[in-house]
Amino acid sequence: MSLNIVVCVKQVPVSNNLKIDPITKNMMRSSEPGIMNPFDQNAVEAALKLKERFDAKVTLLSMGPKNFEITLRQGLAMGADDAILLSSRGFGGADTLATGYVLSQAIKAIQNVNLVFFGRQSIDADTGQVGPIVAELLDWPQVTYISQIHPIDEKSIEAVRLMEHMQQSIKVKLPAVFTVRSELNVPRYPSPRSIMLSYQKEIKVWDEHSFELDLNRIGIQGSPTVVRKVWNPTKVDKETELLGEDPERAARKLLHVLRARDII
Amino acid sequence: MKKVDCMTHKNIWIVAEHHQDIIQPVTKQLITKANQIKADKKVTVILFQTKEQKLEQQLLNYGPDEIITVCDDRLKEAPDSLIADLLSQLNHKFQPNSILFGATVIGRSISARLQAKLLTGLTADCLDLKFEENLLIQIKPSYGDNIMCEIVCPNNYPQMATVRPNVFMATEIQNKEAKIVIINDMNFIEDKRITVYEEIPLLSKSDSIANADRVIALGRGMSGKEHINKASRLATKLGAKIGVTRPLTDLPSFSVDDQIGQSGSSIAPKLLITLGVHGAVQFTTGITKSKYIVAINNNPKAPIFDIADYGFVGDAKSFVEALLKLIQ
């Protein structure tokens, strides 16, 4: 048996200058150029490391608008074999549950997949939920927040999961879903040649009719959560006591007040 | 949007998190918050523990109405999928209104797996919670800078959320009785495919900044090697921990675990000194529970001064040098 790896990647905005659709309240992504979510770069790297050691195929999978091709192209240039973009208006407005459902169905449609990688979370929505959701919907074991991977053979892997107060060593039989931390590896930079070659690879685009889906479970209708209100937080400004311009006098004054208040 | 009012779905569940026999602060913080917003609902803590642990004692002082506990030695080093499955069984039996978790590694991993089992909504990393009758209003920052969202799950139960540690304050309540329910008819479906074979406790950095009394935060203006060394010396002298803004997590000395703010840790120190920190919203959401904030930045218009108690407009390095000299 060889490894058939899927890496789920998301494109995230470069800047924080985001526009919110006033009616749907979703982020209007199409106006923003994007980059591959940094943690997903660690996920691609982890898959490529396995490919260096075993007979393996690495397929990138993403759900989003057409310009997510930028991110898939980047992953192909890093060394992935294949890329699939799930793109359709019908997928739009999905929360984590609907996103996880579509990804898990696509993974089933790719067939014979035995390892799925995710980054620990995206840096825009910051949920980290989609990996475990996909694991549950596939009924596979999950190892999240991985900081080390020690493959035993093509059927089982030992991984270290780094948590707030401890690390767990976990042995898992494939198939499985892994989510990875940035501590795991340093993502490779594609060479100019591999960037060029990546343009010869085709990015497959699938919509909701390309694979088996319950249409009630995708997009807005498949999303149990509703964004009811979006706003810019109003700041309550504090009275700031300025310590003057001279660093030494300012430092002296600060130590004085901190000692007076029994803080140091 | 209003949920149908009925006799079931009246319990707010908090899934207790513990490490080395200690109930974690976020669990206590959630009990206090749930008590404040519950109205006619009950606050129930779900406690998974081994037979010898008896951790319910540590929860009672925070005043839950009820503790549902499963005591079983198979819970030691249990994989996420087993805990999610047990929670799913308990959910079907008791039909809670909502299930709250700490937004920790384990809370985020189990809650999402449970969400997919129950096909309901889960909101990550909430900063505030309130109820409109049975509807849980979940407030969270999103999409990076400047945006707050109010998220609801109008058509499904349970309503699930993870809550960032340290956004609420835990308060002890004296003399409150809690009903303790021991469940021992659970169906343990052990998954042979996955084994947690070792757990090593860590003194992790994110834990230490989250619980530290004094924190020094470094921003882009303090990212030079010499600057970091000076700040570290000051931290040692003040007994402070060092945290950073997102750009500094790319440096070899720091990682996401040292990051303060929306996608890092929320902190609640008595004293926070920010050095060369501009004060973007995704940073400041992580420091609002600090008692005294001292901001040092050479830009008088930096938003960090809007929330600082004391400010010094000028070079952060000279200021640190002056402080170091005075605390010799």
Side-chain angles (χ1 to χ4, degrees), chain A residues 216-237:
Chain A
N216 292 313
R217 292 180 67 180
I218 70 168
I220 292 171
Q221 65 274 28
S223 300
T225 56
V226 177
V227 180
R228 200 168 71 159
K229 215 163 106 186
V230 180
W231 71 98
N232 298 321
T234 47
K235 292 181 289 180
V236 184
D237 292 0

Side-chain angles (χ1 to χ4, degrees), chain A:
Chain A
M1 191 184 87
S2 62
L3 278 174
N4 192 358
I5 305 172
V6 166
V7 187
C8 294
V9 294
K10 183 183 187 185
Q11 189 159 306
V12 294
V14 186
S15 84
N16 293 321
N17 251 337
L18 301 183
K19 294 196 185 86
I20 297 286
D21 185 314
I23 295 154
T24 67
K25 307 198 182 76
N26 283 308
M27 188 167 71
M28 293 158 71
R29 291 173 201 270
S30 49
S31 59
E32 279 284 318
I35 51 159
M36 188 192 294
N37 179 46
F39 295 115
D40 300 353
Q41 298 177 23
N42 298 107
V44 174
E45 179 62 35
L48 295 174
K49 281 261 159 62
L50 288 174
K51 186 179 154 74
E52 284 166 5
R53 201 164 144 189
F54 300 105
D55 175 24
K57 183 181 177 197
V58 176
T59 304
L60 304 169
L61 180 63
S62 190
M63 184 176 97
K66 284 281 161 60
N67 75 7
F68 271 36
E69 287 191 1
I70 301 169
T71 282
L72 292 172
R73 199 67 73 188
Q74 187 187 339
L76 288 171
M78 284 173 76
D81 302 290
D82 225 339
I84 301 168
L85 178 61
L86 310 173
S87 193
S88 157
R89 281 189 181 278
F91 297 142
D95 70 4
T96 55
L97 187 66
T99 304
Y101 171 69
V102 172
L103 291 176
S104 67
Q105 289 300 106
I107 290 162
K108 286 178 191 167
I110 295 168
Q111 292 187 340
N112 303 318
V113 174
N114 43 26
L115 183 54
V116 176
F117 277 105
F118 285 85
R120 60 178 266 187
Q121 68 204 62
S122 65
I123 61 162
D124 54 354
D126 267 329
T127 74
Q129 286 166 200
V130 179
I133 290 169
V134 167
E136 173 61 30
L137 295 177
L138 294 171
D139 192 22
W140 292 357
Q142 71 187 41
V143 186
T144 57
Y145 296 84
I146 290 175
S147 62
Q148 292 174 40
I149 291 177
H150 306 288
I152 303 166
D153 53 39
E154 288 157 293
K155 287 177 193 155
S156 49
I157 289 180
E158 283 177 4
V160 172
R161 180 196 211 190
L162 183 58
M163 308 160 89
E164 290 85 357
H165 311 282
M166 65 169 169
Q167 61 176 47
Q168 289 182 321
S169 298
I170 297 173
K171 188 173 172 177
V172 65
K173 283 202 189 95
L174 302 186
V177 172
F178 287 180
T179 83
V180 308
R181 306 180 68 115
S182 58
E183 290 87 346
L184 176 64
N185 56 38
V186 179
R188 67 195 64 190
Y189 283 107
S191 67
R193 187 181 136 78
S194 61
I195 293 172
M196 236 166 60
L197 286 175
S198 78
Y199 280 89
Q200 290 168 15
K201 292 182 189 168
E202 181 209 3
I203 293 174
K204 296 180 190 119
V205 179
W206 291 2
D207 66 14
E208 65 269 46
H209 306 295
S210 311
F211 56 108
E212 202 187 317
L213 280 174
D214 175 350
L215 296 184
N216 292 313
R217 292 180 67 180
I218 70 168
I220 292 171
Q221 65 274 28
S223 300
T225 56
V226 177
V227 180
R228 200 168 71 159
K229 215 163 106 186
V230 180
W231 71 98
N232 298 321
T234 47
K235 292 181 289 180
V236 184
D237 292 0
K238 265 193 197 172
E239 282 290 321
T240 309
E241 189 183 331
L242 289 174
L243 299 165
E245 284 171 13
D246 175 58
E248 201 165 318
R249 249 182 263 162
R252 203 179 296 278
K253 194 166 171 190
L254 179 66
L255 287 178
H256 176 76
V257 289
L258 293 181
R259 282 180 183 134
R261 293 181 193 274
D262 199 25
I263 299 169
I264 57 168

Side-chain angles (χ1 to χ4, degrees), chain B residues 223-234:
Chain B
S223 54
K225 211 171 179 180
E226 198 195 335
H227 292 72
I228 294 170
N229 284 342
K230 288 225 155 71
S232 303
R233 275 176 50 212
L234 181 61

Side-chain angles (χ1 to χ4, degrees), chain B residues 28-285:
Chain B
K28 299 170 183 171
Q29 292 158 7
L30 280 171
I31 298 171
T32 300
K33 179 65 183 182
N35 268 325
Q36 289 162 357
I37 61 170
K38 68 181 178 180
D40 61 338
K41 291 173 270 306
K42 274 200 308 189
V43 177
T44 300
V45 180
I46 307 297
L47 174 61
F48 295 109
Q49 57 184 342
T50 59
K51 283 189 178 137
E52 298 192 331
Q53 279 184 306
K54 313 227 172 359
L55 300 179
E56 49 273 29
Q57 290 308 320
Q58 294 177 40
L59 296 165
L60 291 172
N61 286 348
Y62 295 87
D65 298 301
E66 181 182 60
I67 298 170
I68 295 178
T69 179
V70 180
C71 306
D72 194 298
D73 291 346
R74 282 170 290 187
L75 290 165
K76 196 169 180 281
E77 300 177 355
D80 299 347
S81 48
L82 176 63
I83 305 289
D85 187 62
L86 295 174
L87 280 168
S88 166
Q89 291 177 43
L90 290 172
N91 174 72
H92 288 125
K93 185 168 174 157
F94 295 103
Q95 313 253 327
N97 170 289
S98 41
I99 308 182
L100 310 178
F101 295 81
T104 57
V105 166
I106 202 82
R108 283 168 175 251
S109 304
I110 291 171
S111 59
R113 186 125 198 168
L114 180 63
Q115 173 196 17
K117 273 183 196 293
L118 304 180
L119 301 177
T120 186
L122 169 63
T123 304
D125 246 0
C126 295
L127 294 179
D128 201 7
L129 298 169
K130 57 189 177 186
F131 276 101
E132 284 172 13
E133 314 230 336
N134 271 2
L135 186 70
L136 180 66
I137 318 298
Q138 303 154 90
I139 292 139
K140 68 159 297 200
S142 199
Y143 300 137
D145 218 351
N146 284 326
I147 290 164
M148 295 289 279
C149 301
E150 200 175 275
I151 294 178
V152 292
C153 174
N155 302 312
N156 302 66
Y157 284 113
Q159 305 165 86
M160 290 174 46
T162 64
V163 177
R164 175 71 60 90
N166 290 335
V167 297
F168 305 130
M169 205 103 82
T171 318
E172 292 194 44
I173 297 178
Q174 300 303 318
N175 308 321
K176 193 179 157 189
E177 296 267 317
K179 188 171 135 200
I180 297 180
V181 182
I182 298 165
I183 308 284
N184 40 31
D185 60 347
M186 302 235 69
N187 182 18
F188 276 73
I189 304 160
E190 284 182 84
D191 190 340
K192 294 245 165 17
R193 299 171 296 179
I194 181 163
T195 324
V196 179
Y197 64 90
E198 192 177 33
E199 287 188 344
I200 304 170
L202 300 171
L203 184 72
S204 105
K205 298 192 226 165
S206 58
D207 177 44
S208 53
I209 53 168
N211 296 328
D213 271 347
R214 296 177 198 113
V215 174
I216 294 179
L218 308 183
R220 226 191 288 246
M222 282 292 282
S223 54
K225 211 171 179 180
E226 198 195 335
H227 292 72
I228 294 170
N229 284 342
K230 288 225 155 71
S232 303
R233 275 176 50 212
L234 181 61
T236 312
K237 286 196 171 164
L238 292 175
K241 302 285 179 195
I242 293 215
V244 297
T245 59
R246 176 171 253 152
L248 272 73
T249 60
D250 289 337
L251 297 175
S253 342
F254 302 111
S255 76
V256 179
D257 289 331
D258 304 300
Q259 190 189 329
I260 298 167
Q262 191 191 319
S263 46
S265 297
S266 287
I267 59 171
K270 289 194 185 107
L271 172 65
L272 169 66
I273 301 178
T274 71
L275 300 171
V277 172
H278 184 69
V281 176
Q282 70 264 65
F283 173 81
T284 56
T285 50

